[in-house]
Amino acid sequence: MTPTTIPASAGTRHLVNLALVRWHLTASAVCYAVSLLAGLAYAFQFNNLYPFAGIEFLSPGRVRMVHTNIAAYGFIANAFIAGLLFAIPRLTKRPILSDALGWVIFWAWQLVLTLTVIGVLAGFGQAIEWGETPVFVDPLVLVGLVLLVVNMTVPILQSTEQGLYVSLWYFLAAFAWTGLVYFMGNYLPQFWIPGTAGAAITGLFIHDLVGLFVTPIGWGLMYFFVPLLLRKPIWSHALSLIGFWGLAFFYPMQGVHHFLFSPIPMYAQYGAIVATIAVEIVVLTVIVNFFGTLHGRADAIRGNLAVRWFFTGIIFYAITCFQCAFQVTLTFQKIIHFTDWVVGHAHMVMYGVFGFWIMGMFIELWPRCIGRPWATPRLLTAHYWLTFVGIVIMVLDLTAAGLVQGFSWAGLSHWGESVVASMPFWWVRTVAGLIIIAGQGLFLYSMWATARRPATEPGMVRIGTPVEA
Amino acid sequence: MERFGASFLIAGIVTFLLGFFLQGVMPVLTLRKVPVATVEELVQTIPPEFSDLAEEYPVEFERAFGEVSLASLVEAIELGKENYIAEACWHCHSQFVRPVSKENIRFGPVSTPEEYQNLMQLPHLFGTRRVGPDLIRQAGKHSNDWHMAHFYEPRNIAPYSVMPAYPWFFDENKRPTKRALALVAYVQWLGSWAREVPGTIYNVDAMRGGDQ
Amino acid sequence: MKERSVRGLIIVGFAVAVLVVAGLGFAYKMSEFAVTIMKDEIEGFGAVAISIYLVGMVPILFFTLWAIATGRFRDIEHPKYRLLELDDEIERGGGVSYRVGATVAGGRGAR
């Protein structure tokens, strides 16, 4: 029987509410498309080919805010909620607190996103990086987050399982963090703390959003999916303990590294640098753990598309962290701060790592939610390769562009020199973006084609079913 | 089991607070002796560019802000900042000068924390990316006309520019609206407190510690 | 067998290489930080930050000790096997239905 066709007779509930998962995935895919198109439009600005020039509501600065915010709160958050809705009940054998609440959260979240897009385009963006969601949307976000936390924490605390699996540690910690981080970043520098100290808090917010919301949930989901896909327990549960506590301890202390050499007190800058380098070491334990799990099953990378997405993401993660440990030093900062290097880095983390993991999750969850196996395995493979090639080109290109810009500025050449020298790089960036978007076009088509398929094969698609059988 | 689960929630909160204290509260405490000025307290002199603005665009200025006065200056720069945020100029322009990469030569004196202890910096606009130059020492670098023409179509002034054009700051007759005047007043106000001293290359004190 | 040990070597080599580089970076920054504290004219500069780090460690230390004392580490690898068992149990039972209020099998006793 397909999961969706089990009648929910009175008193019976599905363990996992797959409809909810499906809708979050769909919303995530829609946001994904919006975010990519906004990013593409903004990239065209740098080729002086902006498609909406002269239209106030689509001014490039505002479109950029749509790009980043919808990527973070639309694409990533929706997909993560879908992942959590699937993983938590299956880790605890308890359904989420309330399905109705789940729907309320779903619609509240989509309302948040819609209001964000409208608000930002209408000129109400907030001057907080990653928190540009207009001031009037923030309370709704907080309410949504609190409800989400309640809905998802209850099954974990009710669970009678002996010993808590590492995924749940990450989820619980992330639940504690997310609301606090959001409140801190969107309210303190906006209403109470001006200037330099406010900048310190903004830096903290920029960093915590990635480190305390996206990263723990991302890793938690990886710890859930990878062993199930490989049908093999994680290499070392004890090592994951080290990784978790290292992240929990060092990650919240790195905010100011976004503003090195700024007027923020120097000890805060040093502290941030030390904590950053420390966390990179801790992160390695996580990476080693995953490769330890893969050890002996490396063929899965070829045979199972989801595993391939996951591990490509993990490799990107290793690269990013390696890069972090260097770029956070004051020596590197002299040159690369303010340049496209940082933009490349951000794309590698948010897209190359978390975006890739989310793609892997889509590969697993989408067929399961709609009770049909993927209709178009070949397109999915093409999608993988296009995305991979696109992001690699983009990151290499932006990193190189950053060095060119940084040295041009330090060399005191006219500002225009750095702009002119960046032009070819910005063209390559646009082309890389087009490659990525072409890939995602295939993917969205695949999702649609799969959903349109008659449900000929009942029996749900089990976790770990390779796409290319 | 229940308690063990909850401990992760608590641990999350504790580590968050620890990080928040170190990276957020400590800088606040360090700066606590520098009083936070309101905009009215901060703005004590009228920069010449602002008076020029009233002379150069008399009709529009009169309609938008009335007389040249401290009050109208405050109104103008606050509105200018609002538009600066709405258009997300801060994604392409930073607002602090670092003591490295010869930025003190390129832009002017290195930024200090006191400069930012005022409500014009709520929220602060440090920025994390420079596509265009830093703007915190912008006052007087260009004329008002230059800025107007530049906002209307940057490529008319700097053919290589990738800065967006902002034609909606101007009316059908290409005359500046209130928003254009405010934005120019704001940009010309930035750094009016730390101008270049004629005959010297910027503040020598600020060069200290900058490794060239 | 041979291939496996080669692979093991690669992983270890990779881990060591990255650890050494990142560790050196950390040590270098830490020492730079320490030197700044010592020779800076502002009293107590940075010392506060470091001491808070250390104080912050204390709860975590106690938490760890508590966890050890209450036997949380006795079978630390257990949950990772349980994950796969759970998956099997859930899939076998039709996978997706859950009766409200029913005691869930597979808890502590049913294992």
Side-chain angles (χ1 to χ4, degrees), chain A residues 54-73:
Chain A
I55 306 178
E56 177 172 358
F57 294 113
L58 294 171
S59 146
R62 305 183 189 182
V63 167
R64 182 200 193 266
M65 297 193 263
V66 172
H67 170 61
T68 52
N69 280 272
I70 294 304
Y73 301 111

Side-chain angles (χ1 to χ4, degrees), chain A residues 399-421:
Chain A
T399 308
L403 290 174
V404 170
Q405 292 155 1
F407 282 108
S408 160
W409 298 338
L412 285 184
S413 40
H414 186 271
W415 195 272
E417 298 269 311
S418 77
V419 178
V420 172

